[in-house]
Amino acid sequence: GTKMTEAQLSSSLHDARALIDALIRASRVSNPEALMPRARFVFGNVEVDLHFRRVMRNGRTVQLTPREYELIVALARGNGAPVSASELISTVWKGHVTPESRTIAQHVAEVRAKLEDVPAQPAYLLTVRKFGYRLLGEWISE
């Protein structure tokens, strides 16, 4: 078989070590989405850009509170499927509100007011009775 010289072995171990170090550094990045290709969730005239944590409507940035942004992202991750109120409580509110609370409904109303053309008749952020909400749209990766 082919034998590596000591210099070659040392060099390839050095490369492997460098790769491992790079992977360890990458795994420590506090924002894992920064490592993903730019992912965007689009519905109507709205674009949610996970990489830049930005929501655009008709090409203009929409000012959302951090909680409103997390709500939109949690619903977008549902891929059009209903996301339960209890799941939203654990992901968006980290368990700090009760399912009976009006908090989720209030935030949904705020988000609709900012992103829907007719907030009272939402076309995208829909209520699923006695369960939760769903957001219709599609993921686009660069």
Side-chain angles (χ1 to χ4, degrees), residues 23-134:
L23 288 168
I24 290 169
R25 273 197 309 279
S27 73
R28 286 203 199 105
V29 173
S30 59
N31 174 12
E33 275 143 15
L35 297 172
M36 302 189 324
R38 244 182 89 194
R40 295 174 326 210
F41 188 78
V42 177
F43 58 97
N45 52 16
V46 176
E47 179 179 298
V48 180
D49 188 322
L50 266 58
H51 185 76
F52 289 108
R53 282 187 66 92
R54 178 174 70 191
V55 177
M56 311 282 283
R57 182 175 179 201
N58 292 321
R60 291 200 190 87
T61 302
V62 179
Q63 296 304 321
L64 294 182
T65 66
R67 196 78 85 185
E68 289 166 353
Y69 175 80
E70 294 300 333
L71 175 62
I72 276 285
V73 171
L75 290 170
R77 289 206 167 110
N79 262 323
V83 180
S84 70
S86 59
E87 188 177 330
L88 292 172
I89 287 167
S90 68
T91 56
V92 180
W93 279 270
K94 310 286 184 265
H96 295 306
V97 298
T98 63
E100 306 78 49
S101 153
R102 296 282 304 140
T103 306
I104 297 179
Q106 284 159 355
H107 279 77
V108 166
E110 286 293 318
V111 169
R112 281 178 177 152
K114 293 177 182 183
L115 303 180
E116 291 273 3
D117 288 334
V118 186
Q121 297 171 312
Y124 303 99
L125 205 178
L126 311 179
T127 301
V128 181
R129 268 180 62 90
K130 304 233 183 275
F131 184 77
Y133 299 90
R134 57 198 285 225

